[in-house]
mmCIF file with all atom_site columns, all heavy atoms in Angstrom:
data_model
loop_
_atom_site.group_PDB
_atom_site.id
_atom_site.type_symbol
_atom_site.label_atom_id
_atom_site.label_alt_id
_atom_site.label_comp_id
_atom_site.label_asym_id
_atom_site.label_entity_id
_atom_site.label_seq_id
_atom_site.pdbx_PDB_ins_code
_atom_site.Cartn_x
_atom_site.Cartn_y
_atom_site.Cartn_z
_atom_site.occupancy
_atom_site.B_iso_or_equiv
_atom_site.pdbx_formal_charge
_atom_site.auth_seq_id
_atom_site.auth_comp_id
_atom_site.auth_asym_id
_atom_site.auth_atom_id
_atom_site.pdbx_PDB_model_num
ATOM 1   N N   . CYS A 1 107 ? 4.078  -6.035  20.007 1.00 95.00 ? 107 CYS A N   1
ATOM 2   C CA  . CYS A 1 107 ? 2.616  -5.952  20.083 1.00 95.00 ? 107 CYS A CA  1
ATOM 3   C C   . CYS A 1 107 ? 1.974  -7.106  19.321 1.00 95.00 ? 107 CYS A C   1
ATOM 4   O O   . CYS A 1 107 ? 1.029  -7.728  19.790 1.00 95.00 ? 107 CYS A O   1
ATOM 5   C CB  . CYS A 1 107 ? 2.120  -4.634  19.516 1.00 95.00 ? 107 CYS A CB  1
ATOM 6   S SG  . CYS A 1 107 ? 2.687  -3.208  20.450 1.00 95.00 ? 107 CYS A SG  1
ATOM 7   N N   . ARG A 1 108 ? 2.501  -7.393  18.110 1.00 94.00 ? 108 ARG A N   1
ATOM 8   C CA  . ARG A 1 108 ? 1.841  -8.380  17.260 1.00 94.00 ? 108 ARG A CA  1
ATOM 9   C C   . ARG A 1 108 ? 2.110  -9.814  17.705 1.00 94.00 ? 108 ARG A C   1
ATOM 10  O O   . ARG A 1 108 ? 1.228  -10.658 17.650 1.00 94.00 ? 108 ARG A O   1
ATOM 11  C CB  . ARG A 1 108 ? 2.315  -8.219  15.819 1.00 94.00 ? 108 ARG A CB  1
ATOM 12  C CG  . ARG A 1 108 ? 1.881  -6.944  15.143 1.00 94.00 ? 108 ARG A CG  1
ATOM 13  C CD  . ARG A 1 108 ? 0.416  -6.995  14.759 1.00 94.00 ? 108 ARG A CD  1
ATOM 14  N NE  . ARG A 1 108 ? 0.080  -5.818  13.975 1.00 94.00 ? 108 ARG A NE  1
ATOM 15  C CZ  . ARG A 1 108 ? -0.252 -4.646  14.506 1.00 94.00 ? 108 ARG A CZ  1
ATOM 16  N NH1 . ARG A 1 108 ? -0.340 -4.530  15.827 1.00 94.00 ? 108 ARG A NH1 1
ATOM 17  N NH2 . ARG A 1 108 ? -0.515 -3.619  13.733 1.00 94.00 ? 108 ARG A NH2 1
ATOM 18  N N   . VAL A 1 109 ? 3.358  -10.090 18.095 1.00 94.00 ? 109 VAL A N   1
ATOM 19  C CA  . VAL A 1 109 ? 3.726  -11.475 18.376 1.00 94.00 ? 109 VAL A CA  1
ATOM 20  C C   . VAL A 1 109 ? 3.634  -11.768 19.873 1.00 94.00 ? 109 VAL A C   1
ATOM 21  O O   . VAL A 1 109 ? 3.063  -12.761 20.285 1.00 94.00 ? 109 VAL A O   1
ATOM 22  C CB  . VAL A 1 109 ? 5.151  -11.769 17.865 1.00 94.00 ? 109 VAL A CB  1
ATOM 23  C CG1 . VAL A 1 109 ? 5.522  -13.215 18.132 1.00 94.00 ? 109 VAL A CG1 1
ATOM 24  C CG2 . VAL A 1 109 ? 5.239  -11.470 16.370 1.00 94.00 ? 109 VAL A CG2 1
ATOM 25  N N   . ARG A 1 110 ? 4.183  -10.867 20.690 1.00 93.00 ? 110 ARG A N   1
ATOM 26  C CA  . ARG A 1 110 ? 4.165  -11.102 22.139 1.00 93.00 ? 110 ARG A CA  1
ATOM 27  C C   . ARG A 1 110 ? 2.874  -10.596 22.783 1.00 93.00 ? 110 ARG A C   1
ATOM 28  O O   . ARG A 1 110 ? 2.660  -10.761 23.967 1.00 93.00 ? 110 ARG A O   1
ATOM 29  C CB  . ARG A 1 110 ? 5.349  -10.390 22.801 1.00 93.00 ? 110 ARG A CB  1
ATOM 30  C CG  . ARG A 1 110 ? 6.688  -11.028 22.490 1.00 93.00 ? 110 ARG A CG  1
ATOM 31  C CD  . ARG A 1 110 ? 6.983  -12.167 23.440 1.00 93.00 ? 110 ARG A CD  1
ATOM 32  N NE  . ARG A 1 110 ? 8.328  -12.663 23.282 1.00 93.00 ? 110 ARG A NE  1
ATOM 33  C CZ  . ARG A 1 110 ? 8.622  -13.893 22.865 1.00 93.00 ? 110 ARG A CZ  1
ATOM 34  N NH1 . ARG A 1 110 ? 7.646  -14.716 22.557 1.00 93.00 ? 110 ARG A NH1 1
ATOM 35  N NH2 . ARG A 1 110 ? 9.868  -14.287 22.747 1.00 93.00 ? 110 ARG A NH2 1
ATOM 36  N N   . ARG A 1 111 ? 2.038  -9.931  21.976 1.00 93.00 ? 111 ARG A N   1
ATOM 37  C CA  . ARG A 1 111 ? 0.741  -9.421  22.458 1.00 93.00 ? 111 ARG A CA  1
ATOM 38  C C   . ARG A 1 111 ? 0.905  -8.485  23.654 1.00 93.00 ? 111 ARG A C   1
ATOM 39  O O   . ARG A 1 111 ? 0.128  -8.516  24.601 1.00 93.00 ? 111 ARG A O   1
ATOM 40  C CB  . ARG A 1 111 ? -0.186 -10.580 22.848 1.00 93.00 ? 111 ARG A CB  1
ATOM 41  C CG  . ARG A 1 111 ? -0.470 -11.512 21.712 1.00 93.00 ? 111 ARG A CG  1
ATOM 42  C CD  . ARG A 1 111 ? -1.586 -10.983 20.852 1.00 93.00 ? 111 ARG A CD  1
ATOM 43  N NE  . ARG A 1 111 ? -1.578 -11.635 19.544 1.00 93.00 ? 111 ARG A NE  1
ATOM 44  C CZ  . ARG A 1 111 ? -2.071 -11.096 18.456 1.00 93.00 ? 111 ARG A CZ  1
ATOM 45  N NH1 . ARG A 1 111 ? -2.624 -9.919  18.491 1.00 93.00 ? 111 ARG A NH1 1
ATOM 46  N NH2 . ARG A 1 111 ? -2.026 -11.732 17.314 1.00 93.00 ? 111 ARG A NH2 1
ATOM 47  N N   . ARG A 1 112 ? 1.959  -7.674  23.621 1.00 94.00 ? 112 ARG A N   1
ATOM 48  C CA  . ARG A 1 112 ? 2.135  -6.714  24.701 1.00 94.00 ? 112 ARG A CA  1
ATOM 49  C C   . ARG A 1 112 ? 1.314  -5.470  24.407 1.00 94.00 ? 112 ARG A C   1
ATOM 50  O O   . ARG A 1 112 ? 1.065  -5.137  23.248 1.00 94.00 ? 112 ARG A O   1
ATOM 51  C CB  . ARG A 1 112 ? 3.599  -6.314  24.812 1.00 94.00 ? 112 ARG A CB  1
ATOM 52  C CG  . ARG A 1 112 ? 4.445  -7.409  25.435 1.00 94.00 ? 112 ARG A CG  1
ATOM 53  C CD  . ARG A 1 112 ? 5.887  -6.979  25.554 1.00 94.00 ? 112 ARG A CD  1
ATOM 54  N NE  . ARG A 1 112 ? 6.682  -8.122  25.965 1.00 94.00 ? 112 ARG A NE  1
ATOM 55  C CZ  . ARG A 1 112 ? 7.935  -8.318  25.600 1.00 94.00 ? 112 ARG A CZ  1
ATOM 56  N NH1 . ARG A 1 112 ? 8.554  -7.436  24.830 1.00 94.00 ? 112 ARG A NH1 1
ATOM 57  N NH2 . ARG A 1 112 ? 8.600  -9.383  26.002 1.00 94.00 ? 112 ARG A NH2 1
ATOM 58  N N   . GLY A 1 113 ? 0.939  -4.776  25.467 1.00 94.00 ? 113 GLY A N   1
ATOM 59  C CA  . GLY A 1 113 ? 0.238  -3.512  25.297 1.00 94.00 ? 113 GLY A CA  1
ATOM 60  C C   . GLY A 1 113 ? 1.203  -2.461  24.766 1.00 94.00 ? 113 GLY A C   1
ATOM 61  O O   . GLY A 1 113 ? 2.422  -2.615  24.868 1.00 94.00 ? 113 GLY A O   1
ATOM 62  N N   . LYS A 1 114 ? 0.650  -1.393  24.219 1.00 95.00 ? 114 LYS A N   1
ATOM 63  C CA  . LYS A 1 114 ? 1.483  -0.364  23.602 1.00 95.00 ? 114 LYS A CA  1
ATOM 64  C C   . LYS A 1 114 ? 2.444  0.251   24.625 1.00 95.00 ? 114 LYS A C   1
ATOM 65  O O   . LYS A 1 114 ? 3.626  0.445   24.357 1.00 95.00 ? 114 LYS A O   1
ATOM 66  C CB  . LYS A 1 114 ? 0.562  0.722   23.029 1.00 95.00 ? 114 LYS A CB  1
ATOM 67  C CG  . LYS A 1 114 ? 1.291  1.694   22.131 1.00 95.00 ? 114 LYS A CG  1
ATOM 68  C CD  . LYS A 1 114 ? 0.315  2.569   21.361 1.00 95.00 ? 114 LYS A CD  1
ATOM 69  C CE  . LYS A 1 114 ? 1.082  3.565   20.519 1.00 95.00 ? 114 LYS A CE  1
ATOM 70  N NZ  . LYS A 1 114 ? 0.858  4.954   20.888 1.00 95.00 ? 114 LYS A NZ  1
ATOM 71  N N   . LYS A 1 115 ? 1.902  0.494   25.833 1.00 95.00 ? 115 LYS A N   1
ATOM 72  C CA  . LYS A 1 115 ? 2.699  1.168   26.847 1.00 95.00 ? 115 LYS A CA  1
ATOM 73  C C   . LYS A 1 115 ? 3.861  0.295   27.299 1.00 95.00 ? 115 LYS A C   1
ATOM 74  O O   . LYS A 1 115 ? 5.004  0.729   27.369 1.00 95.00 ? 115 LYS A O   1
ATOM 75  C CB  . LYS A 1 115 ? 1.801  1.505   28.051 1.00 95.00 ? 115 LYS A CB  1
ATOM 76  C CG  . LYS A 1 115 ? 2.370  2.565   28.942 1.00 95.00 ? 115 LYS A CG  1
ATOM 77  C CD  . LYS A 1 115 ? 1.294  3.274   29.738 1.00 95.00 ? 115 LYS A CD  1
ATOM 78  C CE  . LYS A 1 115 ? 1.947  4.092   30.831 1.00 95.00 ? 115 LYS A CE  1
ATOM 79  N NZ  . LYS A 1 115 ? 2.054  3.347   32.106 1.00 95.00 ? 115 LYS A NZ  1
ATOM 80  N N   . GLU A 1 116 ? 3.555  -0.958  27.551 1.00 95.00 ? 116 GLU A N   1
ATOM 81  C CA  . GLU A 1 116 ? 4.577  -1.901  27.994 1.00 95.00 ? 116 GLU A CA  1
ATOM 82  C C   . GLU A 1 116 ? 5.659  -2.046  26.923 1.00 95.00 ? 116 GLU A C   1
ATOM 83  O O   . GLU A 1 116 ? 6.863  -2.016  27.220 1.00 95.00 ? 116 GLU A O   1
ATOM 84  C CB  . GLU A 1 116 ? 3.917  -3.258  28.267 1.00 95.00 ? 116 GLU A CB  1
ATOM 85  C CG  . GLU A 1 116 ? 4.835  -4.259  28.923 1.00 95.00 ? 116 GLU A CG  1
ATOM 86  C CD  . GLU A 1 116 ? 4.254  -5.663  28.877 1.00 95.00 ? 116 GLU A CD  1
ATOM 87  O OE1 . GLU A 1 116 ? 3.082  -5.812  28.479 1.00 95.00 ? 116 GLU A OE1 1
ATOM 88  O OE2 . GLU A 1 116 ? 4.982  -6.603  29.230 1.00 95.00 ? 116 GLU A OE2 1
ATOM 89  N N   . ALA A 1 117 ? 5.214  -2.154  25.659 1.00 96.00 ? 117 ALA A N   1
ATOM 90  C CA  . ALA A 1 117 ? 6.159  -2.326  24.551 1.00 96.00 ? 117 ALA A CA  1
ATOM 91  C C   . ALA A 1 117 ? 7.053  -1.099  24.421 1.00 96.00 ? 117 ALA A C   1
ATOM 92  O O   . ALA A 1 117 ? 8.266  -1.221  24.195 1.00 96.00 ? 117 ALA A O   1
ATOM 93  C CB  . ALA A 1 117 ? 5.389  -2.576  23.257 1.00 96.00 ? 117 ALA A CB  1
ATOM 94  N N   . GLU A 1 118 ? 6.458  0.084   24.602 1.00 96.00 ? 118 GLU A N   1
ATOM 95  C CA  . GLU A 1 118 ? 7.262  1.297   24.442 1.00 96.00 ? 118 GLU A CA  1
ATOM 96  C C   . GLU A 1 118 ? 8.260  1.451   25.587 1.00 96.00 ? 118 GLU A C   1
ATOM 97  O O   . GLU A 1 118 ? 9.390  1.896   25.376 1.00 96.00 ? 118 GLU A O   1
ATOM 98  C CB  . GLU A 1 118 ? 6.342  2.521   24.359 1.00 96.00 ? 118 GLU A CB  1
ATOM 99  C CG  . GLU A 1 118 ? 5.663  2.604   23.003 1.00 96.00 ? 118 GLU A CG  1
ATOM 100 C CD  . GLU A 1 118 ? 4.861  3.877   22.796 1.00 96.00 ? 118 GLU A CD  1
ATOM 101 O OE1 . GLU A 1 118 ? 4.688  4.642   23.776 1.00 96.00 ? 118 GLU A OE1 1
ATOM 102 O OE2 . GLU A 1 118 ? 4.399  4.081   21.673 1.00 96.00 ? 118 GLU A OE2 1
ATOM 103 N N   . GLU A 1 119 ? 7.848  1.058   26.784 1.00 95.00 ? 119 GLU A N   1
ATOM 104 C CA  . GLU A 1 119 ? 8.788  1.116   27.907 1.00 95.00 ? 119 GLU A CA  1
ATOM 105 C C   . GLU A 1 119 ? 9.988  0.220   27.656 1.00 95.00 ? 119 GLU A C   1
ATOM 106 O O   . GLU A 1 119 ? 11.132 0.620   27.848 1.00 95.00 ? 119 GLU A O   1
ATOM 107 C CB  . GLU A 1 119 ? 8.082  0.676   29.198 1.00 95.00 ? 119 GLU A CB  1
ATOM 108 C CG  . GLU A 1 119 ? 7.403  1.835   29.921 1.00 95.00 ? 119 GLU A CG  1
ATOM 109 C CD  . GLU A 1 119 ? 6.496  1.350   31.028 1.00 95.00 ? 119 GLU A CD  1
ATOM 110 O OE1 . GLU A 1 119 ? 6.677  0.211   31.517 1.00 95.00 ? 119 GLU A OE1 1
ATOM 111 O OE2 . GLU A 1 119 ? 5.586  2.114   31.398 1.00 95.00 ? 119 GLU A OE2 1
ATOM 112 N N   . ARG A 1 120 ? 9.673  -0.983  27.190 1.00 95.00 ? 120 ARG A N   1
ATOM 113 C CA  . ARG A 1 120 ? 10.751 -1.933  26.894 1.00 95.00 ? 120 ARG A CA  1
ATOM 114 C C   . ARG A 1 120 ? 11.638 -1.368  25.771 1.00 95.00 ? 120 ARG A C   1
ATOM 115 O O   . ARG A 1 120 ? 12.857 -1.478  25.823 1.00 95.00 ? 120 ARG A O   1
ATOM 116 C CB  . ARG A 1 120 ? 10.114 -3.268  26.477 1.00 95.00 ? 120 ARG A CB  1
ATOM 117 C CG  . ARG A 1 120 ? 11.072 -4.308  26.016 1.00 95.00 ? 120 ARG A CG  1
ATOM 118 C CD  . ARG A 1 120 ? 10.988 -5.579  26.879 1.00 95.00 ? 120 ARG A CD  1
ATOM 119 N NE  . ARG A 1 120 ? 12.043 -6.520  26.511 1.00 95.00 ? 120 ARG A NE  1
ATOM 120 C CZ  . ARG A 1 120 ? 13.224 -6.553  27.093 1.00 95.00 ? 120 ARG A CZ  1
ATOM 121 N NH1 . ARG A 1 120 ? 13.493 -5.742  28.080 1.00 95.00 ? 120 ARG A NH1 1
ATOM 122 N NH2 . ARG A 1 120 ? 14.135 -7.427  26.700 1.00 95.00 ? 120 ARG A NH2 1
ATOM 123 N N   . ALA A 1 121 ? 10.999 -0.765  24.771 1.00 96.00 ? 121 ALA A N   1
ATOM 124 C CA  . ALA A 1 121 ? 11.754 -0.199  23.642 1.00 96.00 ? 121 ALA A CA  1
ATOM 125 C C   . ALA A 1 121 ? 12.686 0.903   24.114 1.00 96.00 ? 121 ALA A C   1
ATOM 126 O O   . ALA A 1 121 ? 13.869 0.928   23.752 1.00 96.00 ? 121 ALA A O   1
ATOM 127 C CB  . ALA A 1 121 ? 10.780 0.328   22.588 1.00 96.00 ? 121 ALA A CB  1
ATOM 128 N N   . HIS A 1 122 ? 12.175 1.800   24.938 1.00 96.00 ? 122 HIS A N   1
ATOM 129 C CA  . HIS A 1 122 ? 13.015 2.900   25.430 1.00 96.00 ? 122 HIS A CA  1
ATOM 130 C C   . HIS A 1 122 ? 14.181 2.365   26.257 1.00 96.00 ? 122 HIS A C   1
ATOM 131 O O   . HIS A 1 122 ? 15.305 2.849   26.164 1.00 96.00 ? 122 HIS A O   1
ATOM 132 C CB  . HIS A 1 122 ? 12.174 3.866   26.270 1.00 96.00 ? 122 HIS A CB  1
ATOM 133 C CG  . HIS A 1 122 ? 11.359 4.802   25.432 1.00 96.00 ? 122 HIS A CG  1
ATOM 134 N ND1 . HIS A 1 122 ? 11.930 5.714   24.564 1.00 96.00 ? 122 HIS A ND1 1
ATOM 135 C CD2 . HIS A 1 122 ? 10.023 4.969   25.317 1.00 96.00 ? 122 HIS A CD2 1
ATOM 136 C CE1 . HIS A 1 122 ? 10.983 6.388   23.956 1.00 96.00 ? 122 HIS A CE1 1
ATOM 137 N NE2 . HIS A 1 122 ? 9.811  5.962   24.384 1.00 96.00 ? 122 HIS A NE2 1
#
Side-chain angles (χ1 to χ4, degrees):
Chain A
C107 296
R108 292 285 187 275
V109 181
R110 289 275 188 244
R111 300 277 162 205
R112 286 181 188 148
K114 191 168 178 244
K115 199 156 167 267
E116 188 193 352
E118 285 187 351
E119 271 169 22
R120 174 121 187 92
H122 281 298

